[in-house]
Amino acid sequence: MAHIVVLGAGVIGLSSALQIQSQGHQVTILARDFPGPFETVDPRLQIDYTSPWGGAHNRWIVPTNAAEEREHAMALRTFARMREINQSYPSAGITFMPGIEYLEAPSSVYQALDVEKARSLGMEGFRMLKAEELPDDKVKMGFEYDSWCVNPMVYCSFLLRRFGYLGGKVAKKEVRSPAEIFEMRELGKVDVVINASGIGFGDANVFITRGQTCLVANFCPATVTRQNADGSWSFSVPRNFDGGTIIGGTKEPNDWDPNPSPEVRALLLQSFATTYPQILGKDQKYRVIADIVGRRPTRKNGMRLEKELTGDGKCIIHAYGLGGRGYELSWGVSEAVAGLLSAHMETAPLRQKSKL
């Protein structure tokens, strides 16, 4: 049995810790921030702890290159695992529901999408929307499929609780580098570090993407996404489990402003109500709970998912830089992390293996 330390308690860190734990390893999660109830989390003090603020839903993206094909495969694996968890643990914070897409200017890739293509991509429950089902004349194409949403506070707390129940340990600490963990005597001997920190620690390809959303108490029976012709977005992500509904649509690279804008809030709410007026309910108004600003760690050229051997031969497995797709790809990424770990343990020096 090896001792593996997972750096980061976001959705990637928690999923990876559970996946590695299932292989029989001793696992410790080391992090500055851990999941907790929404009511106790200060959004400004924990603005860089991304997972609690995530929209957290599955939105299928038609792949057009090798990198997107890999991500799509991970999304399919995650979809399957979410269904398994939902069936075994109904209170885990997962809800299966329709995913609705509206496109004002569909690309040729989406124009070629039909039931047969969707089936080949594993998009269950796919159907094209009729003209009368579209919200307005600007929308040229619409479709729906089976999807899932999670309440991040409930789901991440479930993952952490499950991890602890199965014998995992946690340590609350901030570090300056993943390599530092190997020297922490309080952890004992550390064989491998999984860097699921999100930020990359000096990775020049990592940047933050600011997103402002609004949490409302209004019920929404589907996760809805609208792609506008000018490149802007409007979307809803129901959280359920008394978590309200996220209304969003902003992506602002390299913007560090932690303050929500009242003007942006008004625009987000108005845009979504125009797209999906059912959100307003009988009262024909929003019931706003909170404005949320989050920083998604994003990486040029996509996620970093690889093994690194340091100068002294220590192993760090990196799994970060997923931008806004952490939840969508979480179990696919965790399985890839576990695969990298297994391959490393098989090729580790015999003298190291003898100590495990």
Side-chain angles (χ1 to χ4, degrees):
M1 179 191 295
H3 181 203
I4 314 300
V5 173
V6 176
L7 176 58
V11 67
I12 297 299
L14 294 167
S15 304
S16 296
L18 278 164
Q19 188 68 32
I20 294 166
Q21 195 179 48
S22 71
Q23 294 182 326
H25 298 298
Q26 175 190 351
V27 185
T28 299
I29 298 176
L30 177 71
R32 180 189 62 191
D33 301 304
F34 284 90
F38 173 82
E39 293 79 8
T40 66
V41 179
D42 188 322
R44 293 196 181 188
L45 293 179
Q46 292 186 283
I47 189 173
D48 295 317
Y49 181 35
T50 308
S51 288
W53 314 119
H57 67 153
N58 175 73
R59 178 177 170 269
W60 295 119
I61 297 176
V62 179
T64 60
N65 55 49
E68 291 177 354
E69 290 281 359
R70 181 176 73 154
E71 290 190 357
H72 185 71
M74 290 179 172
L76 287 170
R77 289 296 306 133
T78 302
F79 189 97
R81 291 291 292 274
M82 287 296 194
R83 175 173 283 154
E84 291 171 5
I85 295 171
N86 179 245
Q87 292 173 346
S88 299
Y89 305 96
S91 62
I94 305 167
T95 306
F96 276 77
M97 60 176 56
I100 300 174
E101 301 270 345
Y102 298 126
L103 297 88
E104 288 190 4
S107 66
S108 58
V109 172
Y110 282 91
Q111 290 176 20
L113 186 62
D114 56 20
V115 173
E116 183 177 348
K117 176 65 174 178
R119 186 180 294 115
S120 71
L121 292 171
M123 297 167 62
E124 299 179 13
F126 180 89
R127 76 175 184 91
M128 298 299 299
L129 299 180
K130 300 175 183 177
E132 57 268 26
E133 296 179 278
L134 304 179
D136 52 58
D137 292 339
K138 291 183 179 180
V139 174
K140 305 305 180 186
M141 179 182 184
F143 52 89
E144 71 174 22
Y145 45 72
D146 295 342
S147 185
W148 53 259
C149 294
V150 308
N151 181 321
M153 309 293 184
V154 176
Y155 179 66
C156 288
S157 293
F158 162 77
L159 295 181
L160 181 61
R161 190 174 302 114
R162 184 72 183 157
F163 172 75
Y165 176 79
L166 294 173
K169 305 298 182 183
V170 300
K172 190 175 179 66
K173 189 177 180 66
E174 187 170 5
V175 300
R176 294 162 294 180
S177 166
E180 179 184 350
I181 295 171
F182 292 103
E183 309 304 326
M184 293 182 176
R185 295 183 180 180
E186 64 269 31
L187 296 177
K189 183 179 183 296
V190 176
D191 296 292
V192 177
V193 169
I194 310 299
N195 176 20
S197 62
I199 60 175
F201 291 97
D203 187 334
N205 288 319
V206 173
F207 60 96
I208 64 102
T209 300
R210 180 184 184 274
Q212 179 175 332
T213 60
C214 185
L215 178 64
V216 300
N218 302 60
F219 172 74
C220 193
T223 173
V224 182
T225 303
R226 177 171 178 158
Q227 300 181 52
N228 299 317
D230 63 3
S232 62
W233 297 70
S234 183
F235 66 80
S236 72
V237 182
R239 287 184 162 183
N240 298 314
F241 296 86
D242 294 326
T245 300
I246 290 287
I247 306 296
T250 69
K251 295 181 181 180
E252 302 164 287
N254 298 309
D255 188 333
W256 291 84
D257 185 359
N259 302 301
S261 163
E263 293 78 17
V264 171
R265 177 218 278 188
L267 179 61
L268 292 175
L269 297 182
Q270 179 183 0
S271 297
F272 189 73
T274 300
T275 296
Y276 199 79
Q278 302 96 306
I279 188 70
L280 298 178
K282 294 181 180 179
D283 296 337
Q284 288 297 292
K285 65 180 181 180
Y286 282 110
R287 289 171 289 148
V288 174
I289 298 175
D291 294 304
I292 299 171
V293 172
R295 294 173 181 155
R296 309 178 190 114
T298 312
R299 190 170 186 271
K300 298 175 185 176
N301 305 318
M303 76 178 89
R304 185 181 185 190
L305 184 55
E306 63 181 359
K307 180 181 81 170
E308 175 189 7
L309 294 179
T310 63
D312 53 2
K314 293 183 172 64
C315 176
I316 301 172
I317 295 175
H318 299 282
Y320 64 84
L322 280 78
R325 302 200 72 193
Y327 282 91
E328 288 175 277
L329 308 182
S330 56
W331 287 110
V333 171
S334 74
E335 291 175 4
V337 167
L340 289 170
L341 176 62
S342 295
H344 169 73
M345 301 308 296
E346 287 297 319
T347 59
L350 290 177
R351 59 183 178 82
Q352 179 180 345
K353 283 187 177 182
S354 64
K355 297 178 182 179
L356 301 182

